[in-house]
Amino acid sequence: MGRELKRVLLEALVVAAVGLAVALLANLVSPRGLSLTRNYFPSGSTHGKTDGSANSNVTAVVTATNWGGQLARESVAARLKEKGLQPIDFGEAMELFRDPQYAVDLIVFIDARDDRHYAEGHIPGAYQFDRYYPEKHLPAVLPVCLSATKIVVYCTGGDCEDSEFAALTLKDAGAPLERIVVYAGGMTEWAAKGLPVETGERKSGAMRGAKP
Amino acid sequence: MNDRTNFVLRLLYHDMVAFVARWILGGVFVYQGLSKAVHPVDFLKILREYHIVESHIVLNLIAAALPWFEILCGSLLLSGIAVRGSALLLIGMLVPFTIGVLSRAMAIQAANPIPFCAIRFDCGCGAGEVIVCHKLLENSFLILLSLLLLIGRGRRWCLQYDFVKSA
């Protein structure tokens, strides 16, 4: 029995060692691999949001009581202000979107979501900045942000934190913080209001979802 | 021992039962590992919500390595290599996962007035959003299968059942 146990433990140890080596190698060669040393959640701890009202999955259940949504919005606004970021609501986002300066990139919209979500639909003309892969997006996005007078960053909305982290990454890269605002309602609210959504690449011209 | 106990023991040690257990466990872990490995950032974000580590390097290491580690263990079980060692490691992963899911569900329930089994969230298990009660049952079943492989026989249809031949 003792010998058997020892053998199983030794086997588990060998598998664990091989597994760790394989895992690190696979992460290294994968184009989507993570950098082990980069702090992906700056200006905050590695701890995520609390499991309270801000949890979107729970919100689906509690909105029936008209309690989760309001609390979630307040929680997001407080979190943004804590990080020195300025939240804007749907009305303000719309105003900026309709401003003539948007057409000449003096106002820019930044979509902080990944490739798949961006391609599925983004605010027309928005630049993509998936902050988890800044080396891929910053060269195109940063010059635009540096010359813009207003930078509107958004992600999915709800409890999504990518917009605020993207805003902080842009700030660290040199974009003036006072010009950055976060549209907390995000893509979910935008699409729900029936506003035009561009699919595919930026300026692809492919639109969906606009209410007459 | 009565007949019923004998029957259960014979069933547990049956080669076909061990084979099926190996393929269920292996298949589940390869599938879930792949789901996480192709979207490591999503997994990193979910992992962060568990509040398990302070260091961002450790968090990144877990998010980067765990999916591939699961794929390897699942593949070993499917092919029948180092079966008991892999099963032991799976128990070592499944037990903390299950405790983590349970703790998070309890925290959600404490903050929201909803029944426990109505709680749904993406637990980072590779299958998207799940109903917490279903997930806990599924994990308990997988732990039982792992235990079966750890203590059972089932050496047939394995490429190399014991990777380490002698201690």
Side-chain angles (χ1 to χ4, degrees):
Chain A
M1 186 65 189
R3 266 175 59 183
E4 277 299 294
L5 183 68
K6 208 171 165 184
R7 189 152 74 171
V8 173
L9 285 174
L10 190 60
E11 193 168 82
L13 205 63
V14 171
V15 174
V18 173
L20 188 63
V22 168
L24 291 177
L25 190 66
N27 179 65
L28 193 69
V29 299
S30 167
R32 292 178 181 179
L34 297 171
S35 160
L36 296 183
T37 51
R38 182 183 299 160
N39 186 357
Y40 287 98
F41 307 101
S43 307
S45 71
T46 50
H47 290 174
K49 54 201 170 289
T50 58
D51 279 317
S53 56
N55 189 300
S56 61
N57 308 310
V58 179
T59 306
V61 180
V62 290
T63 39
T65 63
N66 206 11
W67 177 80
Q70 179 61 28
L71 213 59
R73 274 194 295 277
E74 286 169 11
S75 158
V76 170
R79 200 175 65 212
L80 288 171
K81 282 178 182 159
E82 203 175 284
K83 290 177 180 172
L85 295 166
Q86 192 189 332
I88 59 166
D89 60 19
F90 172 73
E92 291 165 296
M94 266 305 292
E95 218 169 276
L96 290 167
F97 180 72
R98 288 186 174 146
D99 193 303
Q101 291 190 75
Y102 184 47
V104 290
D105 272 354
L106 283 175
I107 294 171
V108 290
F109 276 64
I110 303 290
D111 189 313
R113 298 171 306 152
D114 61 18
D115 293 352
R116 183 170 61 90
H117 288 100
Y118 181 81
E120 279 174 6
H122 51 267
I123 293 177
Y127 288 85
Q128 188 198 2
F129 176 55
D130 181 353
R131 68 170 195 97
Y132 293 95
Y133 303 100
E135 60 285 346
K136 184 180 165 192
H137 299 282
L138 261 185
V141 168
L142 189 58
V144 185
C145 289
L146 290 176
S147 58
T149 55
K150 198 62 117 182
I151 305 159
V152 184
V153 191
Y154 71 90
C155 55
T156 307
D159 63 349
C160 165
E161 293 176 282
D162 287 331
S163 52
E164 53 203 86
F165 284 120
L168 293 170
T169 308
L170 286 172
K171 184 205 84 175
D172 291 343
L177 183 63
E178 64 277 8
R179 294 185 197 166
I180 303 175
V181 293
V182 175
Y183 170 36
M187 204 57 217
T188 306
E189 185 180 58
W190 185 270
K193 299 274 185 186
L195 287 157
V197 172
E198 185 178 51
T199 56
E201 291 181 4
R202 181 174 179 268
K203 301 279 185 189
S204 68
M207 296 285 177
R208 68 165 170 83
K211 275 182 190 164
Chain B
M1 277 191 283
N2 59 28
D3 286 350
R4 188 178 291 176
T5 314
N6 276 333
F7 173 75
V8 171
L9 281 177
R10 274 206 311 277
L11 189 69
L12 285 179
Y13 284 157
H14 197 282
D15 284 337
M16 186 51 84
V17 173
F19 176 77
V20 171
R22 214 157 46 75
W23 273 69
I24 291 174
L25 261 181
V28 166
F29 270 84
V30 168
Y31 172 77
Q32 293 190 348
L34 277 173
S35 307
K36 287 179 250 186
V38 295
H39 299 295
V41 165
D42 292 346
F43 183 49
L44 176 73
K45 285 192 255 184
I46 293 168
L47 206 56
R48 177 173 165 258
E49 291 176 20
Y50 278 95
H51 306 235
I52 44 172
V53 288
E54 287 286 342
S55 158
H56 68 271
I57 294 175
V58 179
L59 188 73
N60 294 347
L61 185 67
I62 296 171
L66 199 63
W68 297 105
F69 198 75
E70 288 180 1
I71 294 168
L72 179 85
C73 286
S75 306
L76 289 176
L77 285 184
L78 287 173
S79 51
I81 299 172
V83 173
R84 286 182 298 176
S86 302
L88 182 61
L89 286 175
L90 290 193
I91 293 170
M93 288 191 269
L94 279 165
V95 171
F97 287 169
T98 309
I99 294 170
V101 169
L102 180 66
S103 312
R104 195 164 159 219
M106 287 166 71
I108 290 173
Q109 196 190 27
N112 301 282
I114 50 175
F116 188 76
C117 282
I119 297 170
R120 303 161 62 102
F121 61 89
D122 188 344
C123 60
C125 311
E129 195 176 288
V130 291
I131 296 172
V132 71
C133 289
H134 292 180
K135 190 67 209 172
L136 292 174
L137 277 176
E138 181 193 310
N139 277 12
S140 306
F141 177 64
L142 294 177
I143 290 170
L144 283 178
L145 289 186
S146 306
L147 279 172
L148 176 71
L149 291 179
L150 189 63
I151 61 166
R153 309 244 188 289
R155 288 169 185 265
R156 284 181 72 183
W157 306 301
C158 287
L159 283 180
Q160 193 169 0
Y161 184 81
D162 289 315
F163 190 73
V164 176
K165 286 295 177 192
S166 59

